[in-house]
Amino acid sequence: MDIIKFRPYKNVNDDRLIWKINNNMKILRKLSEKDNEGYNEKKFLLNDMIIEAKKRKIKLDDKTFMKNILM
């Protein structure tokens, strides 16, 4: 039996995917401070988005990358 992999962000364009990743990272930071139950759910969604970005080989420019790390 073959395993079918579900890719929920396959039809999202690159710019929108990057925006969603950044937005969910901000939400995840806020949830981690509150020790909220929704943290794990958002963590798994973010993981799926990052996997999709890696499959597409999407790269950020250095300025955007550093801005996201330092925020």
Side-chain angles (χ1 to χ4, degrees):
M1 182 164 45
D2 293 333
I3 296 174
I4 299 172
K5 296 196 177 190
F6 178 64
R7 292 174 59 190
Y9 302 102
K10 183 178 181 180
N11 295 326
V12 178
N13 67 18
D14 293 349
D15 293 331
R16 183 74 175 161
L17 182 62
I18 291 171
W19 181 84
K20 283 180 170 265
I21 289 171
N22 287 333
N23 192 33
N24 280 327
M25 287 177 85
K26 290 176 187 175
I27 292 170
L28 200 60
R29 284 185 194 124
K30 289 178 185 175
L31 289 176
S32 69
E33 293 169 359
K34 296 178 184 175
D35 200 25
N36 196 336
E37 293 179 7
Y39 178 80
N40 280 334
E41 182 181 334
K42 285 290 184 186
K43 180 175 66 173
F44 293 128
L45 287 173
L46 182 62
N47 188 44
D48 289 342
M49 289 181 210
I50 291 171
I51 289 170
E52 183 66 31
K54 284 184 175 184
K55 285 182 181 182
R56 295 185 195 184
K57 298 181 181 175
I58 298 173
K59 299 197 183 229
L60 293 175
D61 60 341
D62 290 337
K63 184 178 179 181
T64 307
F65 183 70
M66 293 304 284
K67 178 182 166 191
N68 290 338
I69 289 176
L70 297 175
M71 288 182 78

